[in-house]
Amino acid sequence: MHRQSISELAQSLRDKKFSSVELTQHYLDRIKRIDPQLNSYVTVTEEIALAQAKIADERLASGDSNPLCGIPIAHKDIFCTEGVRTSCGSKMLDNFVPPYNATVVENYLDAGAVMLGKVNMDEFAMGSSNETSYYGPVKNPWDTRCVPGGSSGGSAASVAAMLAAGATATDTGGSIRQPASHCGLTGIKPTYGRASRYGMIAFASSLDQAGVLTRSAKDAAIMMNSLISFDQKDSTSVDVAKEDYLQNLETSVEGITIGVPKEYFGDGLKIETAALVQEAIDQYEKMGAKIKEISLPHSSLAVPAYYVIAPAECSANLSRFDGVRYGYRCENPKDLEDLYKRSRGEAFGEEVKRRILVGTYALSAGYFDAYYNKAQQVRRLIKQDFDEAFKDVDVIMGPTCTSPAFKFDSKGSDPVAMYLEDIYTIATNLAGLPGLSIPCGLVDNKPVGLQIIGPAFAEGKLLNIAHQFQLATDFHTLTAPDLD
Amino acid sequence: MDSSEIQKLANLAMIEIDDSQVSEVAARISDVLALVDQLQAADTDNVTPMAHPLDTVQRLRSDEVNEPNRREAFQAIAPESENGLYLVPKVIDAG
């Protein structure tokens, strides 16, 4: 039953082929059997899952029409779950049991979805390989010698190995799209402000956005229908009318104009990846889309601007972890300063400390203009590139990553090698735009992703365009080798 | 970035860094700063810094209490608390 899509599962539940309790138990058994090879779950919430499944079965019996009712999903361990440890992949929050739910978690509860557990991630969502997690790296189900991508590596690996029907995730610089690419999934990051950030542990508040990872665009549309909501509790939530993402999936792509930025096909892009991405764009042309070469001239400045803005915001956000109100506290502090310094020094991992220090530097007296202000100016230039492009094209397409998933420990000690992993995804976060990745083929039996970027609030269009590709091709139906 | 600068930053950020790790941390942070220094080449004259991707402003709400007081639930997860207060090592010396 785990091979069925979310819409097929929804139908099976209504046809009484199996109950949500049976389906949930099936997934829990798979997690127990298979996940020790992957490490995608930090916490499996067996009792809660079965209790939620029982409620879902009652709702289904009384005619509940939500397609997520009774569907087992996983939540990234960055979303606060009342009564369930929320670690954010960090020793700092290893003992943190939130007294409230994130709005995103509430939305899925309302839909009747079943929470199987909390999935692994890079510490505080800082990383592109899941190697920075306090709970150890997650392995890629396609090749367990390789990373699943990050930071939403647990979300991606659990869905790719069919240990959850879908998963929530977050994307600050590519943390949904890059793992989607590396694990052969559909992953969407909505427009900034579209999904609530309430109860989603903050990394870089002007960039963070919740999204979903699934095995098809149609499944993503179903998950998005519950993810998106206007939320008074999030001061940057945008009050734009909710849309039904299933409604326009069937619209033809005939006549749309696809922009292909020349900067996304430069040095660094592996030739085999470029070929598959080009074939996918050719497929769209066959389906009636017009292709237009465009330029996003400030693309090369996206990574440098991001590594000022994200660390600056991270250094402010993570100042709340002080060993006083919740989370880790060091043993026998000799005074208050010692308590702060050792609690933070002992509980944050290397990458997190590095970003806090870089952010502290960029915001410190004498450097603010040269770094932070400059980066915010460049951010506007990057946004203007997209504004210009979208005057002529409906969406932009290119690779999600330069190459397929890489092996563990292969990036060396220079953090910049890892930062460049997000070279094609970061600009969309800086500009606040929606982006999506869908699988478009395999290189050495490892998936490659096609990235589709849209103007603000075009997530419905992105899902439609992705779905049309998946009607015409079968890359999204390829699954990782059976680990059972 | 030298060792004394790293210690100063670590002090500002309230993070203890072991002396044996300072030079490694300094080297890696220098790698990152070399990357971000590429920004200096960009022509940003007369460009307004962009703080919010959609250029919207903070939404305001009416000044009314809308959240219940959940002090006990929040303090239950504190490392140390007593009588509604968070406990930390003594800050002011009695002597």
Side-chain angles (χ1 to χ4, degrees):
Chain A
M1 37 185 134
H2 54 271
R3 293 202 168 267
Q4 294 185 19
S5 67
I6 291 177
S7 45
E8 285 165 346
L9 288 173
Q11 195 53 50
S12 297
L13 288 171
R14 280 163 184 83
D15 294 345
K16 299 198 169 51
K17 288 190 178 137
F18 42 79
S19 66
S20 175
V21 168
E22 286 164 335
L23 178 64
T24 301
Q25 191 60 58
H26 175 74
Y27 272 105
L28 290 168
D29 292 343
R30 280 182 64 77
I31 294 167
K32 231 173 254 172
R33 228 168 37 239
I34 297 166
D35 201 48
Q37 297 171 65
L38 298 174
N39 195 32
S40 67
Y41 279 81
V42 173
T43 307
V44 179
T45 52
E46 183 167 352
E47 275 177 35
I48 292 172
L50 291 169
Q52 289 178 345
K54 203 159 163 263
I55 295 169
D57 280 330
E58 286 161 16
R59 281 173 60 166
L60 286 162
S62 55
D64 192 301
S65 64
N66 193 309
L68 279 174
C69 187
I71 306 292
I73 61 166
H75 286 304
K76 186 174 180 177
D77 211 15
I78 197 168
F79 293 103
C80 285
T81 40
E82 187 173 357
V84 175
R85 189 257 309 264
T86 300
S87 73
C88 220
S90 182
K91 181 180 179 181
M92 181 61 86
L93 294 178
D94 183 50
N95 63 359
F96 175 56
V97 179
Y100 67 105
N101 278 326
T103 296
V104 162
V105 170
E106 283 288 329
N107 288 352
Y108 285 109
L109 268 177
D110 290 347
V114 171
M115 174 175 79
L116 291 166
K118 306 293 294 289
V119 280
N120 209 339
M121 54 183 286
D122 277 298
E123 186 181 8
F124 284 105
M126 298 175 202
S128 307
S129 68
N130 227 289
E131 291 170 296
T132 73
S133 170
Y134 175 61
Y135 302 94
V138 177
K139 290 170 182 152
N140 189 320
W142 289 83
D143 181 343
T144 52
R145 297 166 304 174
C146 292
V147 306
S151 65
S152 309
S155 305
S158 63
V159 176
M162 292 173 273
L163 306 181
T168 56
T170 61
D171 190 316
T172 302
S175 285
I176 290 174
R177 291 159 287 156
Q178 185 252 18
S181 178
H182 287 344
C183 290
L185 298 175
T186 300
I188 179 165
K189 176 204 96 76
T191 310
Y192 181 79
R194 205 72 171 96
S196 169
R197 293 186 299 110
Y198 178 77
M200 184 176 112
I201 297 169
F203 156 22
S205 302
S206 79
L207 305 165
D208 295 343
Q209 189 56 204
V212 298
L213 280 155
T214 55
R215 289 193 284 123
S216 70
K218 191 173 180 187
D219 282 0
I222 293 171
M223 291 273 296
M224 283 279 286
N225 275 348
S226 286
L227 180 89
I228 302 301
S229 63
F230 170 63
D231 188 5
Q232 288 286 1
K233 293 178 188 160
D234 170 3
S235 64
T236 58
S237 177
V238 286
D239 196 0
V240 176
K242 223 173 131 96
E243 99 185 69
D244 176 2
Y245 294 110
L246 287 163
Q247 205 167 19
N248 296 318
L249 285 182
E250 306 304 329
T251 307
S252 157
V253 297
E254 209 173 319
I256 67 160
T257 304
I258 296 169
V260 180
K262 61 175 194 259
E263 291 83 2
Y264 284 32
F265 290 82
D267 291 345
L269 179 63
K270 287 272 158 46
I271 189 160
E272 300 87 351
T273 300
L276 289 177
V277 169
Q278 189 54 54
E279 280 171 32
I281 293 167
D282 293 346
Q283 172 64 34
Y284 275 106
E285 193 167 20
K286 264 186 240 155
M287 288 155 62
K290 288 188 287 252
I291 312 296
K292 184 177 186 326
E293 187 185 278
I294 59 166
S295 175
L296 300 168
H298 297 94
S299 293
S300 67
L301 294 173
V303 174
Y306 179 88
Y307 279 97
V308 172
I309 294 165
E313 294 185 9
C314 128
S315 74
N317 272 324
L318 271 62
S319 66
R320 64 174 59 109
F321 301 106
D322 56 5
V324 175
R325 291 158 302 157
Y326 52 92
Y328 179 84
R329 173 182 282 202
C330 66
E331 296 281 341
N332 304 316
K334 66 177 196 291
D335 54 31
L336 187 59
E337 194 170 306
D338 185 48
L339 183 152
Y340 292 151
K341 285 184 174 166
R342 278 203 293 124
S343 297
R344 291 161 65 77
E346 291 168 15
F348 287 140
E350 267 178 48
E351 180 61 24
V352 170
K353 284 192 251 194
R354 186 148 55 222
R355 294 201 195 184
I356 292 173
L357 292 173
V358 169
T360 304
Y361 181 73
L363 293 175
S364 60
Y367 297 102
F368 183 84
D369 280 336
Y371 287 101
Y372 191 72
N373 232 13
K374 185 82 179 178
Q376 296 282 57
Q377 288 175 309
V378 169
R379 185 176 187 179
R380 185 171 300 280
L381 295 176
I382 288 166
K383 170 74 163 39
Q384 286 170 350
D385 284 354
F386 281 111
D387 290 345
E388 273 305 306
F390 285 125
K391 285 180 185 163
D392 298 326
V393 304
D394 297 297
V395 291
I396 292 170
M397 286 190 192
T400 308
C401 305
T402 56
S403 55
F406 50 92
K407 291 199 169 129
F408 289 100
D409 299 317
S410 63
K411 294 281 177 189
S413 63
D414 181 355
V416 174
M418 188 70 80
Y419 296 174
L420 293 173
E421 182 61 20
D422 296 322
I423 192 163
Y424 303 130
T425 51
I426 272 176
T428 27
N429 296 78
L430 290 170
L433 302 175
L436 168 152
S437 180
I438 49 172
C440 66
L442 302 176
V443 170
D444 299 332
N445 287 317
K446 287 186 286 187
V448 167
L450 169 76
Q451 184 177 210
I452 313 176
I453 301 165
F457 307 112
E459 29 290 286
K461 189 87 207 156
L462 296 186
L463 289 164
N464 158 233
I465 290 171
H467 178 66
Q468 289 301 307
F469 184 79
Q470 293 180 342
L471 286 178
T473 61
D474 60 1
F475 301 116
H476 67 292
T477 64
L478 301 174
T479 51
D482 202 349
L483 293 168
D484 217 343
Chain B
M1 201 45 57
D2 63 29
S3 297
S4 71
E5 281 175 291
I6 289 295
Q7 287 295 16
K8 191 180 152 216
L9 266 187
N11 200 38
L12 287 172
M14 288 282 160
I15 292 178
E16 173 111 328
I17 297 179
D18 196 74
D19 283 340
S20 65
Q21 288 169 356
V22 171
S23 61
E24 171 67 15
V25 171
R28 299 290 79 84
I29 288 190
S30 299
D31 291 336
V32 179
L33 294 180
L35 168 78
V36 306
D37 272 338
Q38 291 174 27
L39 290 175
Q40 304 312 327
D43 179 4
T44 52
D45 287 352
N46 305 315
V47 177
T48 315
M50 183 173 120
H52 188 291
L54 304 174
D55 279 329
T56 52
V57 291
Q58 198 84 342
R59 200 175 57 243
L60 299 176
R61 63 170 175 82
S62 52
D63 187 18
E64 287 158 17
V65 177
N66 60 6
E67 295 245 354
N69 184 358
R70 301 188 60 203
R71 186 170 74 174
E72 276 168 32
F74 288 119
Q75 291 204 325
I77 55 172
E80 252 190 298
S81 65
E82 197 179 292
N83 299 328
L85 304 169
Y86 291 100
L87 298 189
V88 294
K90 197 159 71 176
V91 178
I92 301 167
D93 219 326

